Amino acid sequence: MNKDILVIGAGPVGIYTAKCLAQRGYEVRLLEKRPEMAKQVCCTGLISTECAAKYGFESEHVQNIFSEAVVYSPNGQKLLLKRDTPQAIMLDRSGFQAGLLKQAINCGVQTNFGCQVNGLENTGNGIRITTKGGQTFFAKAAVLAAGYNTELSRAAGLGEIKHFAFGLQAESHISAPSGLELFTGNAISKAYFGWLSPIDDHTAKIGLLTQTNPHECWSGLHNVLHQRNLIPPGHIRYTCRQVPAGNLSASFGDRILAVGDFAGQLKPTTGGGIYFGLLCADLAISCLDKKIKTGNLSKAEMSEYEKGWKSLIGFELSAGRMLNRIYAGLNDYLIEQIFKKCAVNGMIDKMAAKSQLGFDWHGKAFAHLLKNPLDLIRS
Ligand SMILES: Cc1cc2nc3c(=O)[nH]c(=O)nc-3n(C[C@H](O)[C@H](O)[C@H](O)COP(=O)(O)OP(=O)(O)OC[C@H]3O[C@@H](n4cnc5c(N)ncnc54)[C@H](O)[C@@H]3O)c2cc1C
């Protein structure tokens, strides 16, 4: 079965890549291991308004819009992050993904569900892809968009992302209307945070990201939400997924490019990967288009893609990881102290006003703090 390009993984980044390549006139096949599109996706679907403006999401998939969020310290101090204009949009994640797939199919993308790719081989004049079920596909090139997947990245000769975090999520009834709320503290998450993101006055997506002990952290978040009368009593069943906390040593090879979570292109501070994944997909699409036209898809040529995405988000990823490591070392006492200082010195608002801190971009704020550490403790 010959195609110009095979895209592995029907998550948002893979589907978007397949759609755009088909729009450029390529014959594209999308291979997905699940038997069908997931009805429930373990992802909150929060994206920035910047991302929404660039990629134009359908209004029918928007569940909520936020211009503020309350962040809680471990002891319940509140920090209000408020802007005059909407900052974040919450998507119905499975609806959005299904809508994107429909668009891709309308553009001519062919799909194979229930197709778990487990082998890739460069044949010299193309790439051969094999699946667990024994199928074989050939193409000029392949885009790997299979989420966090060390087995496949090793099979593709791209090494593996060793570090990861656990992402947990559930949809739950809420006891009272609420805004977007974030929860910090070692009992809820090591290195990250928990959240409650309302869909309407009665339902919310509840989730957390943590480096360790996912089950204990879920209980910690549950206890805090319950103590604040935000959720009714009783255990809430969650789904859990690993998210990468690092990058592949190379996101390219002979005839292959890696995008999205597969390549580790997500915000290290929050685990948000939709926007950065789509931005990098745009670069992968342009690179493939150019290289297929020249007929040279060698590793050396494909390296242009990595240079492109690293110059776009590389600084954010390094700064975010450093920030994440520092935060992981803080105990609850130190987190309380930072909340106290931020509450009185208005540092977060000042950085937001200077555009150093946005929903997606945290690197400038971190660089500012490194240069001016006293801003953190100055009242
Ligand atoms: C709890 C949680 C909450 C999150 N909330 C947000 C959020 O609010 N905002 C945000 O931006 N990001 C969020 N994220 C991250 C976001 O979900 C990912 O960054 C995003 O889904 C990445 O898209 P992707 O297409 O790269 O990979 P994925 O969405 O992981 O899709 C990969 C696809 O590849 C398929 N696949 C895997 N292996 C194979 C194989 N061998 N062969 C064929 N197919 C394969 C999988 O079945 C899957 O369908 C969250 C993550 C978690 C865990």
Side-chain angles (χ1 to χ4, degrees):
M1 283 183 262
N2 275 313
K3 278 277 170 258
D4 287 333
I5 301 164
L6 294 167
V7 178
I8 323 297
V13 180
I15 303 173
Y16 173 78
T17 307
K19 178 186 109 170
C20 295
L21 286 166
Q23 280 171 331
R24 288 187 185 219
Y26 292 103
E27 287 196 358
V28 184
R29 186 180 291 278
L30 182 61
L31 306 176
E32 165 58 45
K33 80 169 175 192
R34 290 176 203 266
E36 57 184 21
M37 286 303 275
K39 302 268 182 304
Q40 294 277 324
V41 180
C42 181
C43 170
T44 308
L46 279 169
I47 51 157
S48 61
T49 40
E50 177 185 316
C51 172
K54 189 166 168 67
Y55 291 100
F57 298 93
E58 314 255 348
S59 56
E60 64 179 303
H61 300 134
V62 173
Q63 288 182 319
N64 212 336
I65 299 177
F66 303 104
S67 53
E68 63 181 60
V70 178
V71 191
Y72 288 93
S73 76
N75 285 344
Q77 290 185 74
K78 279 187 194 179
L79 199 60
L80 176 65
L81 309 177
K82 189 173 160 67
R83 303 285 172 270
D84 296 335
T85 52
Q87 299 294 306
I89 288 173
M90 187 167 72
L91 298 171
D92 160 8
R93 192 53 175 70
S94 54
F96 150 64
Q97 204 161 298
L100 197 57
L101 182 69
K102 215 181 264 177
Q103 290 172 21
I105 291 170
N106 287 341
C107 292
V109 173
Q110 294 199 314
T111 58
N112 286 62
F113 279 80
C115 211
Q116 182 172 348
V117 171
N118 61 0
L120 295 97
E121 191 194 341
N122 180 9
T123 60
N125 60 353
I127 190 147
R128 178 176 27 229
I129 284 193
T130 47
T131 72
K132 212 174 163 190
Q135 286 167 290
T136 304
F137 299 90
F138 295 95
K140 289 179 183 149
V143 178
L144 304 177
Y148 180 59
N149 192 325
T150 52
E151 216 177 307
L152 193 59
S153 62
R154 278 198 308 271
L158 301 178
E160 66 181 281
I161 302 175
K162 292 216 167 65
H163 301 287
F164 62 87
F166 298 95
L168 284 69
Q169 187 176 271
E171 230 173 88
S172 164
H173 287 296
I174 45 175
S175 313
S178 162
L180 178 59
E181 312 212 324
L182 309 178
F183 304 92
T184 62
N186 290 179
I188 288 174
S189 168
K190 196 73 191 152
Y192 299 92
F193 55 90
W195 61 87
L196 181 148
S197 193
I199 298 170
D200 53 38
D201 285 352
H202 312 285
T203 334
K205 292 178 193 169
I206 292 168
L208 65 87
L209 210 58
T210 179
Q211 228 168 39
T212 54
N213 304 331
H215 186 67
E216 288 79 354
C217 290
W218 185 258
S219 302
L221 177 64
H222 190 272
N223 290 343
V224 168
L225 295 174
H226 192 228
Q227 279 157 15
R228 302 221 167 104
N229 291 323
L230 286 167
I231 53 168
H235 178 69
I236 299 169
R237 280 166 65 102
Y238 61 83
T239 51
C240 179
R241 192 154 68 86
Q242 292 173 340
V243 296
N247 295 112
L248 288 174
S249 50
S251 57
F252 58 92
D254 286 318
R255 298 183 179 275
I256 52 175
L257 293 179
V259 289
D261 276 20
F262 190 84
Q265 293 160 340
L266 70 176
K267 288 181 272 180
T269 41
T270 65
I274 298 173
Y275 189 31
F276 282 8
L278 295 177
L279 287 173
C280 295
D282 280 334
L283 297 170
I285 292 156
S286 304
C287 176
L288 265 184
D289 190 18
K290 199 163 132 194
K291 303 304 169 191
I292 288 182
K293 281 182 180 137
T294 62
N296 187 347
L297 290 138
S298 67
K299 191 174 175 180
E301 287 292 316
M302 302 292 253
S303 67
E304 189 179 302
Y305 159 65
E306 185 163 293
K307 281 190 205 112
W309 74 255
K310 284 203 167 159
S311 80
L312 186 66
I313 61 164
F315 171 69
E316 279 300 317
L317 299 192
S318 328
R321 276 192 200 115
M322 222 185 285
L323 193 56
N324 186 249
R325 273 200 294 275
I326 294 171
Y327 182 63
L330 300 181
N331 59 25
D332 283 357
Y333 172 78
L334 287 170
I335 298 175
E336 291 296 341
Q337 298 311 307
I338 291 172
F339 265 77
K340 267 188 200 147
K341 290 296 172 192
C342 287
V344 289
N345 70 10
M347 184 187 71
I348 292 183
D349 287 336
K350 280 182 215 153
M351 287 197 294
K354 283 195 230 160
S355 300
Q356 287 168 326
L357 185 62
F359 186 89
D360 295 309
W361 310 100
H362 312 142
K364 272 192 200 163
F366 181 57
H368 173 87
L369 280 180
L370 281 183
K371 281 189 209 138
N372 309 279
L374 289 179
D375 275 11
L376 198 59
I377 50 171
R378 207 174 271 141
S379 295

